[in-house]
Amino acid sequence: MGTTLRFTRRRFGQMALGLAASAALPGRGFAASPTETPLHGLSAFGDLKYPADFAQFDYATPDAPSGGRLDFFVPNWMLNQSPLTFDTLNTFVLKGNAPPRIEGLYDALMTSSLDEPDALYCALAATVTISPDRNAYVFALRPEATFSTGAKVTAEDVVFSYETFKEKGHPSLQITLQEVVEVVADAPDRVRLVFSGKQTDQDALGVFGMPIVPKAFFDAEPFESVTAKAIPGSGRFEIGAMEFGRYIEYRKRQDYWAKEMGFARGLDHFDTIRIEFFRDRTVAFEAFKKGSITFREEFTSKTWATDYNFPAVLDGSVVKREFPREKTPTFQCWALNQRRERFADRRVRQAINLCFDFEWTNAQMFYGIYKHSDSCFETSDFKAEGPPSPAELEILEPLRDKLPEEVFGEVWTQPVSDGSGRDRTRLREVLRLFGEAGWTQKGGRLVDASGQPFTLEYMIDDPGFERVYSKFVQTLKAVGVDASFRLVDGAQYQERQNRFDFDLIGAAYSMGATPTRDTLVNFYGSQTKDREGSNNFVGMADPGVDALIDVVNRAEDRRSLTMAMRALDRVLRARFDWIPNIHSESHRAAYWDMFGFREPKPDYGWPVERLWWVDAEKAEALGKA
C-alpha cells in the first residue's frame, strides 16, 4: 500500500515455490489419473510436466556454487509469522509471532513446482495411490526420509501431524483439513488419507502439502505450548544462531536426505539464511545501505524514488532494478470490519472509498508508480472485464436471487478523481451516500439518528502509513467522520487482527494461480466470519458468495475455473466488502552485487532465498567473501 510489505499466506510443502499457472495444459484432473496405481505426482488440471524419474525442476540450477549467506528483510510470510519480531518457534498455532521462513525446516508428502498451475510431486512420499472411490490416497514413504534428529519419518508421524493440525493447529490449517475425515497408518511406511467425499481435486492441493513433524518430540512438549524450542523437521534447513525479536539464522543441513532428489536438487544454495527484524523501516534501510542486509525488496514508493542515490548505488556495488511480477492474483485491499454495525451498509463503504483520492496520492505520495486496484484478483486472468460473458452468465443466472443486480451489468471499476485532492463533485457524492445510509452532518460531524458520531480508526503497525494516507484521513474528517490513526506494535497488531478488534486495516496477499476452497473460504466464506485467526477480516457471510465458492471448487478444467473466478470477482466488486486499494506490476528490488541467478525469473514465484546463490568473485570484489 505504497509503504506496505506484502502479507503472503504461502502453503507448506510448496516451500515458497507457490502454485503456478499455465493455460496451455489440457483439461485433465485427478479423475484422469488411474486408481490402484502408484503415481509420482498428481495434477488437478492437466498432465504432469515432469516424469517419474525427473532430475530437477527446470528453474533449478544444480551447477550453482553452494555456500555463503543471504541477509535479508523478508517481503512475505505466512500463518502466525511476523517480519517485525518473533517470540515463538511454533508457526503451527495461532498464538504468538513466529519467524518467517521457518517453514524451511519441514518437508511434506508432496510439493509443487513453479512451472505448472496445480501439479504436486511426491517428496516425503515415494508414491501416491488413489483408491477406487477416489476418496482415499495411500502414500508410500521414502525409506531415506529422516528428521534432523536422525529418526526416520514414519506413518505415525504423518498421522500425528494431520490429526494435531486439524484439532489444534492454526485456523488456516484447520480450514484446509476440513474434508479430511481419517488418517491411518496402514504400515510403518504407509499412510492413508481419507476424505469426506465432498472434496474436489483442488481441495487436495493444500492437504498434501502439509508439514510433517515428529510425533516423538511432542511426548514431552504439549503442542500448543511449544515456544522456545524448535520443532524438528525433515526439511533442508535447521535453526542456527538466533536471538528472539532480533534475528534468526537458518543453517543448511549437510545431511539433508533429499538433496539429490528431483524436487530438491539445484535449489537452496546458501549455507545460511539470516533474517533481521526491524520495527522501523528507516533503520532497516540504513542496515541495507551499510551492507548488513544484502537483499531488499522495496515497498516504500518514496524510498524507491528518492533514496537510492547513496554511494554504493552510484558506484555499482548495489544494483537497483525491477523484476516482473508473477502471473498470479494480487490481492491488496482495505478491510472495514462489518462486525461493527456502522460499516455494514455498502453505501458507507463506498463513501469511505471515495475519500481516498488515488490520483492525488499517486502523484504526490507514490511518485506515480502504483495503479488503482479494481479487484481482489489484479494481475490475473480472474479479473472480470466489461459485462458478463455468456459463460459467466451461465454461472450467475441460477444465483440471481442471491446476488446484487449490479453483477449483471458492467463490472464495477474505481471512479477517477480530478486529482486535486479535494474533488468537490466527489465529496458531494460521499455525503449523499452517507445520507442514504442514515448519517447526516451536524455541527461539522456525521451523526446517526440518535446523535452518535461516525468514528473510524485506521489501525497501522508502521508510522509510514500515517504519512502516505494522511490525506485520506483528512478527507474523512472534512466530511464529518471522526477519523484517526492507531499505531500499535507488531505483536499487538497481529493479536488484534486475529480477534477482529479494529475498524479499518490494510491487507495484502499473494494468492495461488489455482485458488482452492480453503483459500476462498478463509477470505470470503460465511463459516470464517467469526473464526478468529481467519483472513475474513471484513466479516463476510453471504450465501451467494458461498455458492460461487462451491462453483469455483467444482471446476473441472482451467477455463471453467477462470469463468467461475470472474463471476466471483463481479460479485465481490458489487458487494464492496473488501475495498480494492493499489497494486504494482513489478517487484522493485535492490541487492548488493554479489549474487548469481538464472534469468528470466520464474513466472509464478520468486523465492530469492531458494533460487539465488553467492558469486564468489563478485563477493570478493565487494569485500563480502
Side-chain angles (χ1 to χ4, degrees):
M1 298 186 180
T3 125
T4 192
L5 302 177
R6 288 187 303 129
F7 290 74
T8 302
R9 289 297 187 257
R10 306 179 311 173
R11 295 181 184 278
F12 281 104
Q14 295 167 351
M15 296 299 293
L17 297 183
L19 287 173
S22 170
L25 295 173
R28 292 182 58 201
F30 289 4
S33 299
T35 61
E36 300 185 289
T37 301
L39 305 170
H40 75 288
L42 297 167
S43 176
F45 301 133
D47 296 316
L48 295 169
K49 175 180 179 179
Y50 296 98
D53 58 350
F54 75 98
Q56 66 187 67
F57 292 129
D58 286 348
Y59 47 82
T61 314
D63 57 350
S66 180
R69 191 171 89 179
L70 173 69
D71 299 89
F72 78 136
F73 183 68
V74 294
N76 43 38
W77 51 96
M78 63 188 298
L79 297 180
N80 68 344
Q81 297 171 8
S82 169
L84 302 178
T85 187
F86 73 104
D87 51 27
T88 180
L89 297 178
N90 186 352
T91 194
F92 306 123
V93 294
L94 179 59
K95 183 180 179 181
N97 299 274
R101 302 305 184 268
I102 199 167
E103 63 269 24
L105 274 62
Y106 308 99
D107 279 329
L109 293 173
M110 305 187 80
T111 190
S112 63
S113 67
L114 271 177
D115 43 8
E116 295 168 279
D118 41 50
L120 293 171
Y121 292 91
C122 286
L124 285 174
T127 62
V128 56
T129 302
I130 307 174
S131 68
D133 66 1
R134 299 188 179 274
N135 287 330
Y137 295 78
V138 178
F139 293 89
L141 300 180
R142 296 187 193 269
E144 309 95 329
T146 55
F147 291 109
S148 58
T149 60
K152 289 189 66 170
V153 179
T154 69
E156 282 193 355
D157 297 312
V158 178
V159 172
F160 172 82
S161 300
Y162 277 92
E163 289 183 345
T164 303
F165 294 153
K166 183 169 184 178
E167 179 186 357
K168 303 175 181 179
H170 189 281
S172 294
L173 302 179
Q174 293 178 337
I175 292 167
T176 299
L177 294 171
Q178 61 187 340
E179 299 303 337
V180 176
V181 296
E182 191 176 23
V183 187
V184 181
D186 290 336
D189 62 351
R190 192 169 299 269
V191 67
R192 177 164 39 97
L193 270 68
V194 183
F195 287 85
S196 66
K198 300 177 183 178
Q199 82 288 348
T200 65
D201 296 343
Q202 296 96 303
D203 289 329
L205 294 173
V207 170
F208 299 155
M210 284 283 165
I212 303 303
V213 296
K215 178 178 182 294
F217 175 82
F218 294 97
D219 288 343
E221 300 287 344
F223 175 76
E224 303 96 320
S225 63
V226 174
T227 56
K229 289 186 178 180
I231 301 169
S234 61
R236 190 61 186 256
F237 288 89
E238 60 187 357
I239 293 176
M242 57 162 275
E243 183 177 334
F244 277 108
R246 290 192 57 201
Y247 74 91
I248 188 167
E249 292 184 356
Y250 299 109
R251 185 172 57 220
K252 186 162 65 175
R253 289 175 52 198
Q254 298 306 314
D255 62 346
Y256 178 50
W257 65 275
K259 57 187 173 184
E260 292 303 323
M261 293 188 174
F263 69 88
R265 186 170 180 262
L267 301 170
D268 301 311
H269 308 291
F270 298 108
D271 277 348
T272 303
I273 297 171
R274 180 182 172 104
I275 296 175
E276 301 277 359
F277 294 82
F278 300 96
R279 295 178 183 269
D280 185 278
R281 294 187 188 210
T282 301
V283 176
F285 185 59
E286 289 301 316
F288 174 73
K289 289 166 64 175
K290 293 174 182 176
S292 56
I293 299 294
T294 51
F295 174 87
R296 172 184 174 88
E297 189 169 353
E298 185 57 69
F299 296 95
T300 303
S301 51
K302 180 179 184 295
T303 302
W304 183 256
T306 65
D307 292 346
Y308 282 88
N309 55 4
F310 52 92
V313 174
L314 300 178
D315 67 20
S317 299
V318 167
V319 178
K320 175 193 176 190
R321 62 171 288 187
E322 296 187 14
F323 293 85
R325 186 167 288 284
E326 292 71 61
K327 297 177 180 179
T328 53
T330 299
F331 174 107
Q332 192 153 318
C333 302
W334 272 322
L336 278 165
N337 187 357
Q338 294 177 44
R339 301 168 188 86
R340 299 180 175 179
E341 186 177 350
R342 61 190 180 280
F343 303 122
D345 192 305
R346 180 178 65 171
R347 293 165 296 189
V348 165
R349 302 192 295 273
Q350 289 176 308
I352 290 171
N353 178 61
L354 287 172
C355 289
F356 174 52
D357 190 331
F358 168 77
E359 284 69 31
W360 183 92
T361 305
N362 198 36
Q364 302 299 322
M365 308 300 292
F366 293 156
Y367 296 84
I369 65 177
Y370 285 98
K371 295 184 180 297
H372 207 180
S373 297
D374 297 317
S375 167
C376 294
F377 311 124
E378 289 290 347
T379 68
S380 77
D381 290 339
F382 303 146
K383 180 181 177 181
E385 302 285 352
S389 66
E392 292 170 73
L393 285 173
E394 190 174 339
I395 297 167
L396 293 168
E397 283 291 355
L399 300 171
R400 183 180 277 270
D401 63 334
K402 295 183 175 69
L403 304 177
E405 184 59 34
E406 294 90 338
V407 168
F408 298 90
E410 287 282 332
V411 70
W412 176 86
T413 57
Q414 289 279 10
V416 178
S417 78
D418 63 11
S420 67
R422 193 171 177 81
D423 186 328
R424 294 187 181 278
T425 301
R426 192 172 176 127
L427 294 179
R428 284 194 293 270
E429 178 66 6
V430 169
L431 291 174
R432 184 188 70 80
L433 288 166
F434 269 121
E436 288 184 359
W439 298 87
T440 56
Q441 273 193 334
K442 287 187 178 179
R445 297 194 308 167
L446 279 176
V447 297
D448 64 13
S450 65
Q452 292 298 309
F454 191 103
T455 62
L456 187 153
E457 182 181 272
Y458 185 174
M459 189 173 76
I460 58 176
D461 61 358
D462 189 307
F465 288 105
E466 191 166 355
R467 180 187 67 84
V468 170
Y469 290 111
S470 60
K471 186 68 173 179
F472 170 53
V473 170
Q474 288 172 12
T475 303
L476 287 166
K477 290 179 176 179
V479 298
V481 174
D482 182 6
S484 62
F485 289 100
R486 171 72 68 176
L487 177 64
V488 299
D489 64 33
Q492 185 181 2
Y493 188 97
Q494 182 85 357
E495 192 267 337
R496 287 185 60 177
Q497 176 181 274
N498 287 340
R499 292 190 294 108
F500 310 126
D501 181 17
F502 58 84
D503 289 348
L504 171 69
I505 60 171
Y509 291 84
S510 292
M511 293 185 172
T514 303
T516 57
R517 176 164 52 189
D518 65 280
T519 297
L520 298 176
V521 167
N522 208 1
F523 282 90
Y524 315 114
S526 297
Q527 70 188 82
T528 58
K529 175 181 178 291
D530 297 314
R531 189 166 194 163
E532 291 188 0
S534 78
N535 300 128
N536 192 348
F537 302 140
V538 299
M540 285 188 67
D542 180 75
V545 171
D546 292 340
L548 281 170
I549 290 173
D550 287 340
V551 174
V552 171
N553 201 46
R554 294 195 304 269
E556 296 181 352
D557 54 48
R558 183 152 291 279
R559 181 181 179 279
S560 299
L561 177 79
T562 301
M563 293 302 105
M565 285 294 292
R566 288 179 183 174
L568 175 62
D569 184 41
R570 291 180 185 279
V571 175
L572 293 176
R573 288 156 75 172
R575 283 185 49 85
F576 227 74
D577 296 283
W578 292 91
I579 301 177
N581 189 242
I582 62 175
H583 67 278
S584 171
E585 295 181 343
S586 64
H587 292 282
R588 298 180 178 89
Y591 53 92
W592 285 80
D593 192 15
M594 55 181 286
F595 301 111
F597 50 86
R598 292 183 61 172
E599 295 205 69
K601 65 173 279 296
D603 282 336
Y604 305 105
W606 198 41
V608 167
E609 68 275 17
R610 301 207 70 200
L611 300 174
W612 288 23
W613 60 87
V614 171
D615 183 310
E617 290 186 7
K618 290 182 176 181
E620 185 174 359
L622 290 176
K624 293 183 175 292

